């Protein structure tokens, strides 16, 4: 179980290390997404602090469990040709994303084209590949994500975005450190209430022209990316992680995740905010 939790928590803790690491980054910054090098100058140290804090806190929480032994039941599995091509395809996709990020290009279309090209290429070796890909996609997530964006429109109609703008305007008058931590923790909590994708949209709309610059935008991004380590519904990554576990007949309750997250997330976010 500690290793399973590590997959979920590090996926979120490391999700602002690079511009391409989280869909919430793209949603929040939109066309103002900083290129790779400026991004690293802003977020590399906070992300490193968040990753280290997450690891150390989890290591402490699971110290008794980790004293046990894991039975050696692994089989000697070998990748097929299609499997090896898939690994190369994943590496190629990451390379395309990094190249586009470094040059300030759009990320969506090149990634989509690369993924489809790799899938078609692998089909030459394995005719069952398209069916396997189709079965592996979590189709139920698509209407979920669509519904999250509908929530944003509903909040806008109800005056929620204007409320967020007013709160951020007041925070600009606070001392920088207090404003940074308040923004980070405020958006972290909000991300667990309605997921971090719609919260990212709300934050981007509230900041207007200041998106992509200023300590409030940076703090907001850290809260949106790291905050979902509090609950299983906070981010798309955690939801997909939960779906993957259930496919393997492994059950992780919302309460068991919360018991770990309520300790791990605040520590990591506090250290990231201090940087």
């Amino acid at each position: 179980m500690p290793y399973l939790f590590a997959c979920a928590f590090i996926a979120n803790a490391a999700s602002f290390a690079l511009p391409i690491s989280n869909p919430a980054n793209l949603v929040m910054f939109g066309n103002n997404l900083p290129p790779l090098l400026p991004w690293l100058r802003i977020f590399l140290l906070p992300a490193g602090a968040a990753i280290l804090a997450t690891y150390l806190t989890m290591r402490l929480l699971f110290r008794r469990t980790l004293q046990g032994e894991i039975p050696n039941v692994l089989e000697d599995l070998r990748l097929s040709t299609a499997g090896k091509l898939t690994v190369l395809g994943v590496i190629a996709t990451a390379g395309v994303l990094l190249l586009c990020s470094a040059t300030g290009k759009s990320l969506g279309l090149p990634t989509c084209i690369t993924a489809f090209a790799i899938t078609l290429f692998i089909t030459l070796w394995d005719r069952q590949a398209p069916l396997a890909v189709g079965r592996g996609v979590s189709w139920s997530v698509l209407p979920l994500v669509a519904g999250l964006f509908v929530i944003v429109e509903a909040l806008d109609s109800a005056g929620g975005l204007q409320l967020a703008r007013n709160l951020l305007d007041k925070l600009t008058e606070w001392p920088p450190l207090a404003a940074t931590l308040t923004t980070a923790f405020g958006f972290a909590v909000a991300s667990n209430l309605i997921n971090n994708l719609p919260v990212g949209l709300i934050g981007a709309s509230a900041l207007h022209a200041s998106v992509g610059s200023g300590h409030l935008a940076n703090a907001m991004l850290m809260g949106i990316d790291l905050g979902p380590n509090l609950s299983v519904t906070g981010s798309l990554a955690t939801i997909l992680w939960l779906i993957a576990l259930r496919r393997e007949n492994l059950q992780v309750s919302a309460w068991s995740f919360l018991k770990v997250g309520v300790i791990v997330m605040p520590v990591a976010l506090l250290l990231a905010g201090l940087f």
Side-chain angles (χ1 to χ4, degrees):
M1 194 59 68
Y3 302 101
L4 295 178
F5 274 106
C7 293
F9 280 86
I10 291 299
N12 289 322
S15 64
F16 59 98
L18 298 173
I20 62 173
S21 300
N22 194 327
N25 302 346
L26 313 182
V27 166
M28 180 179 157
F29 283 100
N31 295 327
N32 297 310
L33 185 71
L36 181 60
L37 292 181
W39 181 284
L40 290 176
R41 284 196 292 269
I42 298 171
F43 292 110
L44 185 59
L45 283 178
I51 294 169
L52 181 61
T54 300
Y55 166 74
L56 292 176
T57 309
M58 293 186 67
R59 187 72 175 81
L60 181 63
L61 288 175
F62 290 109
R63 63 188 184 281
R64 294 182 180 177
T65 307
L66 293 172
Q67 290 176 353
E69 295 183 0
I70 299 177
N72 186 12
V73 294
L74 296 177
E75 300 177 11
D76 185 18
L77 300 177
R78 295 184 180 275
L79 283 176
S80 62
T81 301
K84 293 176 182 177
L85 290 173
T86 302
V87 173
L88 294 176
V90 171
I91 296 173
T93 303
V96 169
L97 281 168
L98 286 172
L99 179 62
C100 292
S101 177
T103 55
K105 304 296 183 182
S106 172
L107 300 177
L109 185 59
T111 306
C112 185
I113 293 174
T114 304
F116 273 107
I118 291 168
T119 302
L120 292 175
F121 188 69
I122 293 173
T123 303
L124 297 175
W125 272 267
D126 186 356
R127 300 295 180 181
Q128 301 299 317
L131 293 176
V133 171
R135 289 194 298 267
V137 173
S138 300
W139 297 106
S140 61
V141 173
L142 299 181
L144 169 65
V145 173
L148 294 175
F149 287 96
V150 173
I151 290 176
V152 176
E153 293 301 321
L155 287 172
D156 191 13
S157 300
L161 293 184
Q162 186 58 48
L163 176 62
R165 294 186 190 109
N166 294 338
L167 292 174
L168 289 172
D169 287 340
K170 293 180 180 179
L171 285 172
T172 58
E173 303 173 0
W174 289 25
L177 181 59
T180 295
L181 293 178
T182 301
T183 301
F185 277 92
F187 276 84
V189 173
S191 295
N192 288 281
L193 296 177
I194 58 172
N195 192 268
N196 66 345
L197 288 180
V199 170
L201 278 176
I202 294 170
S205 299
L207 281 172
H208 283 297
S210 64
V211 172
S213 63
H215 61 283
L216 288 185
N218 300 337
M220 187 183 299
L221 183 78
M222 288 187 285
I224 289 170
D225 282 5
L226 189 53
N229 271 345
L230 188 63
S231 69
V232 293
T233 57
S235 73
L236 184 60
T238 310
I239 293 172
L240 293 173
W241 170 82
L242 197 61
I243 291 173
L245 293 188
R246 288 176 177 174
R247 285 178 178 173
E248 303 295 330
N249 295 319
L250 296 171
Q251 298 298 322
V252 176
S253 68
W255 174 242
S256 62
F257 194 94
L258 179 63
K259 286 192 297 184
V260 179
V262 76
I263 299 174
V264 175
M265 188 278 286
V267 174
L269 185 55
L270 176 61
L271 286 180
L274 291 176
F275 280 92

